[in-house]
Every structure is written in C-alpha cells, then in structure tokens.
Amino acid sequence: MNLVLIGFMGSGKTSVGKLLSRSLSMPLIDTDSLVEERLGLTIPEAFSRLGEERFREEESRVIEEVAAGDGQIISCGGGAVLRADNLERLKRNGKVFYLRISAEEACRRLDERDDRPLLAQGEDRLERAQRLLQAREPLYMEAADEVIDAEGKAPEELTDEVARLWKGSG
Ligand code: S3P
C-alpha cells in the first residue's frame, strides 16, 4: 500500500512527505520533482515553454508509473486530482490523505515564492487561489480517505497525525 498526499499548493505535502519518509522509513516520491527530471525543466519553465496541458500529460505518466509501485509515500502536485485516471490509479493501491488548507493560508505560506505558475505574484493572487481551490475542493474531498485539517499547523504536527492514522489503518 502507498501513502498518498494530496492538497492545494502550499498545504505542506512536500515537507510532510519528507518527515513521514523518515519516521515511517518509506521512500518518498515527489511527482513534481519527477516531472521536472523527465522534462529537464523546472515547473515554471515547463508551464511557460510547453504549456499546462503538456505538464499534465507528463504528470499523469509519472503518476501511472509510481502508483504501480508499493510501500512508498507519494507526494502529488496540487493539480493531480484534475484527472480522474490519476486518482483511480493512486487509489487502487494507496491510502489518500488530503492536507486541507484555505486559499488565504496557501497565499500566506507561499508569500515570497514565485515557483507556482498558477499562482504567480500579482495583486489578484488571493482571488485566483480562491477560484482554483473552490473548483478543486470537491475533487480533493472525493479522493480523500482521510481529511487532515492543516490550517495553521506545522509540518511536524501534521506528520504525527498522518503517521498515527496510517499505522492505525495498517
Ligand atoms: C500545481 C501545483 C504544483 C505544481 C504545479 C501545478 C497545481 O505542485 O504541480 O505548479 O495545479 O496545483 P504543489 O502542489 O506541490 O505546489
């Protein structure tokens, strides 16, 4: 069984994934990093040079490959839930944890960062985050086996919560 982390940008999937990997002694696969590796581009470069569609195709390919493995922590890009195929594959042999935050919190946490092309800096950033999250929230909820309230929580606390639920379900 794989431990799958989903959630909006800035929800802490990567930090929590790293901590979980250590505490549960399971390898961590980060789909964004794999996509970057495969394309030989950073995510902002992939979006600007190839476009979102091509990025999503590579993301789906990566998810298909990693979902076939077992005993891994899979930290997914925030848009992985946009394709039903991705979810079906991840859920076949995975327990899905949704790290749930608000659009406000996402913007706070990503305040200084400009590596999320869909949330590029600009005065309407919060509005864009709200719109994206509103559209995705039903998909995250539908995909989740466990919903973790991540608002205002440190990665360490979230890691403990996920690890407890993971062990309990073992
Ligand atoms: C995206 C989230 C990003 C990355 C890309 C698109 C999204 O991953 O895959 O910028 O559509 O929500 P993180 O959720 O790890 O930031």
Side-chain angles (χ1 to χ4, degrees), residues 17-75:
K18 282 183 189 156
L19 292 170
L20 278 171
S21 171
R22 233 174 292 150
S23 94
L24 298 174
S25 302
M26 288 165 74
L28 171 66
I29 315 266
D30 186 281
T31 65
D32 282 341
S33 306
L34 272 183
V35 169
E36 289 186 320
E37 222 172 84
R38 299 277 165 93
L39 295 176
L41 298 170
T42 64
I43 287 178
E45 285 168 350
F47 270 69
S48 69
R49 293 195 204 166
L50 309 174
E52 179 172 353
E53 229 5 71
R54 177 73 186 85
F55 169 82
R56 296 290 173 211
E57 268 166 36
E58 200 59 40
E59 183 177 50
S60 291
R61 213 164 291 147
V62 159
I63 288 176
E64 182 174 6
E65 285 175 31
V66 301
D70 192 33
Q72 327 156 93
I73 296 168
I74 305 175
S75 168

Side-chain angles (χ1 to χ4, degrees), residues 6-14 30-32 35 43-44 47 52 55-56 59 75-80 82 110 115-119 132 136 140:
I6 62 168
F8 201 60
M9 292 168 267
S11 58
K13 295 167 301 224
T14 303
D30 186 281
T31 65
D32 282 341
V35 169
I43 287 178
F47 270 69
E52 179 172 353
F55 169 82
R56 296 290 173 211
E59 183 177 50
S75 168
C76 297
L82 294 172
L110 299 175
D115 53 358
R116 295 339 194 257
L118 295 179
L119 280 189
L132 274 178
R136 288 178 183 182
Y140 289 134

